[in-house]
């Protein structure tokens, strides 16, 4: 049932807290985010994915529309 699946997915001891979002200015030493994990291997895997998700450049990225489409 739905409630049981929700409880299986939810683990409040893991997660991510972002301090910087796309387009925010950053400088060396700024914290991009915090990872929380209950398993060292999973933390390392999440860390790699997290760091590879960022691209720091000298120019501001193009803005994307907030709404990408409407389902009817």
């Amino acid at each position: 049932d739905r409630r049981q699946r929700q409880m299986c997915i939810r683990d409040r001891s893991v997660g991510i807290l972002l301090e910087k979002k796309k387009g925010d200015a950053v400088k060396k030493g700024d914290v991009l985010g915090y990872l929380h994990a209950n398993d060292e291997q999973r933390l390392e895997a999440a860390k790699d994915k997290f760091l590879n998700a960022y691209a720091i450049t000298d120019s501001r990225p193009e803005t994307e529309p907030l709404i990408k489409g409407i389902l009817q």
Side-chain angles (χ1 to χ4, degrees):
D1 85 340
R2 183 174 161 248
R3 184 168 183 243
Q4 191 174 26
R5 281 185 306 209
Q6 236 181 353
M7 291 185 73
C8 290
I9 296 170
R10 198 174 278 179
D11 184 348
R12 294 179 185 252
S13 62
V14 300
I16 184 170
L17 174 64
L18 296 176
E19 293 291 323
K20 299 290 183 179
K21 62 182 180 185
K22 184 176 181 177
D24 285 351
V26 296
K27 60 184 184 290
K28 188 173 183 172
D30 282 354
V31 174
L32 301 177
Y34 298 93
L35 296 173
H36 302 275
N38 57 8
D39 177 275
E40 192 67 32
Q41 283 182 309
R42 288 183 178 173
L43 176 62
E44 287 303 313
K47 179 181 167 185
D48 289 342
K49 287 181 181 180
F50 178 76
L51 292 174
N52 288 321
Y54 279 86
I56 298 174
T57 65
D58 291 331
S59 60
R60 187 177 199 112
E62 257 184 55
T63 58
E64 295 178 21
L66 184 60
I67 300 172
K68 297 191 182 223
I70 299 173
L71 299 174
Q72 295 182 6

